[in-house]
Amino acid sequence: MTATAPIATNAVQADEATLAANLFGARPGAEVVIADADGEPAGFALFFHNFSTWLGRRGLYLEDLFVRPRFRGLGVGQVLMAYLARLAVGRDCGRFEWS
C-alpha cells in the first residue's frame, strides 16, 4: 500500500515563465539536477546556496527533492542526494542542509 499526499494546486503561485526567469535567467536563484532513467526524467533536486556567518562559508540547501512515482523505491532519491553531497564538497560548502 502506498500513501499519496494531497496536491495543493490552489496554493501554487509559480508558473512556467516565473520558473524560467528565476532558474534560467540572467541571475539564477537556484539550480536543478534532473535524474535520468533510460532517457526519461525520473526525478529532480532543486537547490541553492546560502551562507553561514558562523562558518564563514556558503552552504548548499536542498529545497525540493521529487521522484516520479513509478521510479520510487529504485534508489533515484539516493543517487540525487549523493550527487548533491559530492557537489557540496566540490564547491567547498560548509553545510548541506535539507528540512
Side-chain angles (χ1 to χ4, degrees):
M1 181 164 132
T2 60
T4 57
I7 299 173
T9 54
N10 60 334
V12 176
Q13 296 180 17
D15 58 20
E16 185 177 346
T18 303
L19 290 173
N22 285 291
L23 295 177
F24 306 107
R27 272 186 77 167
E31 297 177 63
V32 178
V33 176
I34 299 173
D36 179 275
D38 297 323
E40 186 177 352
F44 72 89
L46 186 141
F47 64 97
F48 55 87
H49 288 284
N50 54 17
F51 189 82
S52 169
T53 55
W54 287 76
L55 297 175
R57 295 165 56 192
R58 67 183 183 166
L60 190 146
Y61 184 84
L62 174 59
E63 177 70 21
D64 291 312
L65 178 68
F66 175 77
V67 176
R68 294 174 68 192
R70 64 184 238 154
F71 295 102
R72 292 177 186 167
L74 302 176
V76 174
Q78 283 183 302
V79 169
L80 286 166
M81 293 292 280
Y83 177 86
L84 291 178
R86 286 190 307 274
L87 186 67
V89 169
R91 292 184 180 182
D92 195 34
C93 293
R95 295 180 179 154
F96 173 23
E97 299 175 280
W98 181 35
S99 58

